[in-house]
Amino acid sequence: MAVPSTEDLNRYLDEAVAAAQEAGNLMLECFARNDAQASVEEKSSPADLVTKYDRQVEELVLKRLRTAAPDFRVLAEETANKEELTDAPTWIVDPIDGTTNFIHRQAECCVLIGLAVKKKAVLGVCFIPKLDELYTAVQGRGAYCNGRRVVSSGCKDLTTALVNLHLPSYSRGPKVVDRILGISRDLLAHPIRAMRCGGSAGVDMVHVARGRLDAYFEVGIYPWDVCAGQVIVEEAGGVCCDTLGGDFDLASRRVLVAASPELASQLAVHLRNHSYSSVEAEDYNGDVPEKASKKPRM
Ligand code: LIP
């Protein structure tokens, strides 16, 4: 299938924006009713949750996207999550990213709609309904929030960086917990300026894109958590790469997002020291290195 033309991409962007806004309204109705807790179900672990609203939003979004581009493949968190990512144009959708935040009525949850072609993200929409912030980006055309251009902070130095990490939702086993504590201890001792703990990959990525955050990293994410955000971050001047510093792969389940290549490189040194790459954490022996090298090895 041919790569979409500029005209087609404009049309897909309009559809994705309309779908995200409709979905956001449904999320706001739920916030007003305060009934998300009533439909919580566990998925892969007690920290991996879904509600009836995730499913309703996904149905609504996919209906629109399938009408707009009937030939495109679909990868979506709640119903089309076993599909393999191929070279064909593929909508990649997370109906509610940050479901735990959503259940607890936190603002930091969003609708994510990405389009990938040849396994690369080319279009991204992220809508955070409680903040009324709509982020959009198409490859090569810049990143926008509510129609205004956004740029990353450009931060190049870990000692002045605000960094978000996420607690893994796929496991709270001892090795996984040790590894997250190990990397946190190491970064705090470096020292970095401050560290926060996020709950939505999409929200953290747009925060890096607009300079509210300098970096975010996570192991365990899926393509629907990061596809839309990747385009927005890169079009805002930021960087998405592998947690160990290599090229970013949408399907690898790991991401390091930073406001500059220099910052990504410095963080990757620390993450490599903690083998921060696999979901299993089997290769991590729990030792915290005395001092991480400051020299990037990318
Ligand atoms: C969430 C991710 C987040 C991660 C959460 C969860 P969901 O996605 O965006 O980065 O830390 O545990 O996986 O499941 O809310 O769409």
Side-chain angles (χ1 to χ4, degrees), residues 12-24 60 64 113 125 134:
Y12 300 143
L13 181 63
D14 288 346
E15 288 296 337
V17 164
Q21 283 172 326
E22 201 180 333
L60 171 165
R64 253 186 187 272
I113 301 175
V125 172
L134 174 74

mmCIF file of all heavy atoms in Angstrom, residues 12-24 60 64 113 125 134:
data_model
loop_
_atom_site.group_PDB
_atom_site.id
_atom_site.type_symbol
_atom_site.label_atom_id
_atom_site.label_comp_id
_atom_site.label_asym_id
_atom_site.label_seq_id
_atom_site.Cartn_x
_atom_site.Cartn_y
_atom_site.Cartn_z
ATOM 1 N N TYR A 12 -6.580 12.414 7.571
ATOM 2 C CA TYR A 12 -6.467 11.483 8.703
ATOM 3 C C TYR A 12 -6.286 12.246 10.020
ATOM 4 O O TYR A 12 -6.817 11.849 11.054
ATOM 5 C CB TYR A 12 -5.299 10.514 8.500
ATOM 6 C CG TYR A 12 -5.425 9.669 7.262
ATOM 7 C CD1 TYR A 12 -4.317 9.329 6.498
ATOM 8 C CD2 TYR A 12 -6.678 9.210 6.842
ATOM 9 C CE1 TYR A 12 -4.441 8.556 5.349
ATOM 10 C CE2 TYR A 12 -6.806 8.445 5.697
ATOM 11 C CZ TYR A 12 -5.685 8.132 4.950
ATOM 12 O OH TYR A 12 -5.815 7.375 3.820
ATOM 13 N N LEU A 13 -5.539 13.347 9.941
ATOM 14 C CA LEU A 13 -5.335 14.150 11.156
ATOM 15 C C LEU A 13 -6.674 14.711 11.635
ATOM 16 O O LEU A 13 -7.003 14.635 12.823
ATOM 17 C CB LEU A 13 -4.341 15.291 10.880
ATOM 18 C CG LEU A 13 -4.021 16.190 12.070
ATOM 19 C CD1 LEU A 13 -3.343 15.408 13.197
ATOM 20 C CD2 LEU A 13 -3.128 17.360 11.655
ATOM 21 N N ASP A 14 -7.480 15.236 10.704
ATOM 22 C CA ASP A 14 -8.795 15.775 11.086
ATOM 23 C C ASP A 14 -9.654 14.700 11.747
ATOM 24 O O ASP A 14 -10.329 14.939 12.751
ATOM 25 C CB ASP A 14 -9.535 16.313 9.848
ATOM 26 C CG ASP A 14 -8.910 17.606 9.339
ATOM 27 O OD1 ASP A 14 -8.109 18.201 10.078
ATOM 28 O OD2 ASP A 14 -9.216 18.002 8.196
ATOM 29 N N GLU A 15 -9.634 13.501 11.165
ATOM 30 C CA GLU A 15 -10.446 12.402 11.726
ATOM 31 C C GLU A 15 -9.939 12.001 13.108
ATOM 32 O O GLU A 15 -10.729 11.767 14.021
ATOM 33 C CB GLU A 15 -10.407 11.173 10.801
ATOM 34 C CG GLU A 15 -11.187 11.333 9.515
ATOM 35 C CD GLU A 15 -12.695 11.503 9.748
ATOM 36 O OE1 GLU A 15 -13.204 11.091 10.808
ATOM 37 O OE2 GLU A 15 -13.356 12.072 8.860
ATOM 38 N N ALA A 16 -8.622 11.920 13.236
ATOM 39 C CA ALA A 16 -8.046 11.512 14.526
ATOM 40 C C ALA A 16 -8.363 12.555 15.601
ATOM 41 O O ALA A 16 -8.690 12.207 16.741
ATOM 42 C CB ALA A 16 -6.533 11.316 14.385
ATOM 43 N N VAL A 17 -8.302 13.828 15.232
ATOM 44 C CA VAL A 17 -8.612 14.896 16.198
ATOM 45 C C VAL A 17 -10.090 14.796 16.618
ATOM 46 O O VAL A 17 -10.419 14.853 17.812
ATOM 47 C CB VAL A 17 -8.304 16.284 15.587
ATOM 48 C CG1 VAL A 17 -8.968 17.403 16.379
ATOM 49 C CG2 VAL A 17 -6.795 16.507 15.526
ATOM 50 N N ALA A 18 -10.972 14.606 15.625
ATOM 51 C CA ALA A 18 -12.412 14.522 15.953
ATOM 52 C C ALA A 18 -12.665 13.314 16.865
ATOM 53 O O ALA A 18 -13.423 13.402 17.843
ATOM 54 C CB ALA A 18 -13.229 14.404 14.662
ATOM 55 N N ALA A 19 -12.011 12.196 16.569
ATOM 56 C CA ALA A 19 -12.201 10.985 17.389
ATOM 57 C C ALA A 19 -11.684 11.218 18.808
ATOM 58 O O ALA A 19 -12.336 10.851 19.794
ATOM 59 C CB ALA A 19 -11.461 9.808 16.741
ATOM 60 N N ALA A 20 -10.515 11.864 18.923
ATOM 61 C CA ALA A 20 -9.930 12.097 20.255
ATOM 62 C C ALA A 20 -10.808 13.039 21.073
ATOM 63 O O ALA A 20 -10.982 12.854 22.289
ATOM 64 C CB ALA A 20 -8.522 12.667 20.102
ATOM 65 N N GLN A 21 -11.399 14.040 20.411
ATOM 66 C CA GLN A 21 -12.247 14.977 21.151
ATOM 67 C C GLN A 21 -13.541 14.314 21.612
ATOM 68 O O GLN A 21 -14.001 14.523 22.740
ATOM 69 C CB GLN A 21 -12.521 16.218 20.301
ATOM 70 C CG GLN A 21 -11.300 17.137 20.297
ATOM 71 C CD GLN A 21 -11.413 18.290 19.326
ATOM 72 O OE1 GLN A 21 -12.004 18.131 18.254
ATOM 73 N NE2 GLN A 21 -10.833 19.425 19.663
ATOM 74 N N GLU A 22 -14.114 13.487 20.730
ATOM 75 C CA GLU A 22 -15.331 12.762 21.122
ATOM 76 C C GLU A 22 -15.020 11.843 22.312
ATOM 77 O O GLU A 22 -15.771 11.758 23.279
ATOM 78 C CB GLU A 22 -15.819 11.936 19.913
ATOM 79 C CG GLU A 22 -17.269 11.560 19.995
ATOM 80 C CD GLU A 22 -17.714 10.745 18.777
ATOM 81 O OE1 GLU A 22 -17.121 10.889 17.690
ATOM 82 O OE2 GLU A 22 -18.640 9.951 18.934
ATOM 83 N N ALA A 23 -13.881 11.163 22.220
ATOM 84 C CA ALA A 23 -13.469 10.265 23.302
ATOM 85 C C ALA A 23 -13.239 11.050 24.594
ATOM 86 O O ALA A 23 -13.633 10.621 25.686
ATOM 87 C CB ALA A 23 -12.188 9.546 22.894
ATOM 88 N N GLY A 24 -12.614 12.223 24.464
ATOM 89 C CA GLY A 24 -12.343 13.049 25.640
ATOM 90 C C GLY A 24 -13.632 13.487 26.324
ATOM 91 O O GLY A 24 -13.710 13.526 27.560
ATOM 92 N N LEU A 60 -15.605 3.665 20.073
ATOM 93 C CA LEU A 60 -15.955 4.940 19.403
ATOM 94 C C LEU A 60 -14.821 5.424 18.479
ATOM 95 O O LEU A 60 -15.051 5.801 17.333
ATOM 96 C CB LEU A 60 -16.235 5.905 20.539
ATOM 97 C CG LEU A 60 -16.453 7.381 20.514
ATOM 98 C CD1 LEU A 60 -17.040 7.767 21.852
ATOM 99 C CD2 LEU A 60 -15.214 8.154 20.236
ATOM 100 N N ARG A 64 -14.679 5.449 14.004
ATOM 101 C CA ARG A 64 -14.359 6.622 13.184
ATOM 102 C C ARG A 64 -13.157 6.376 12.277
ATOM 103 O O ARG A 64 -13.175 6.678 11.098
ATOM 104 C CB ARG A 64 -14.016 7.802 14.100
ATOM 105 C CG ARG A 64 -15.086 8.844 14.139
ATOM 106 C CD ARG A 64 -14.573 10.018 14.940
ATOM 107 N NE ARG A 64 -15.627 10.971 15.125
ATOM 108 C CZ ARG A 64 -15.926 11.945 14.285
ATOM 109 N NH1 ARG A 64 -15.259 12.107 13.182
ATOM 110 N NH2 ARG A 64 -16.912 12.771 14.551
ATOM 111 N N ILE A 113 -3.862 8.589 19.637
ATOM 112 C CA ILE A 113 -4.106 8.023 18.308
ATOM 113 C C ILE A 113 -2.861 8.296 17.456
ATOM 114 O O ILE A 113 -2.479 9.453 17.242
ATOM 115 C CB ILE A 113 -5.343 8.666 17.634
ATOM 116 C CG1 ILE A 113 -6.579 8.445 18.520
ATOM 117 C CG2 ILE A 113 -5.560 8.063 16.239
ATOM 118 C CD1 ILE A 113 -7.846 9.136 18.021
ATOM 119 N N VAL A 125 -1.797 12.132 17.699
ATOM 120 C CA VAL A 125 -2.751 13.010 18.389
ATOM 121 C C VAL A 125 -2.838 12.541 19.838
ATOM 122 O O VAL A 125 -2.956 11.344 20.102
ATOM 123 C CB VAL A 125 -4.158 12.925 17.737
ATOM 124 C CG1 VAL A 125 -5.188 13.671 18.576
ATOM 125 C CG2 VAL A 125 -4.117 13.500 16.329
ATOM 126 N N LEU A 134 -4.901 19.617 23.490
ATOM 127 C CA LEU A 134 -4.915 18.727 22.319
ATOM 128 C C LEU A 134 -3.578 18.883 21.585
ATOM 129 O O LEU A 134 -3.275 19.949 21.052
ATOM 130 C CB LEU A 134 -6.059 19.111 21.384
ATOM 131 C CG LEU A 134 -6.086 18.355 20.058
ATOM 132 C CD1 LEU A 134 -6.563 16.920 20.258
ATOM 133 C CD2 LEU A 134 -6.986 19.065 19.056
#
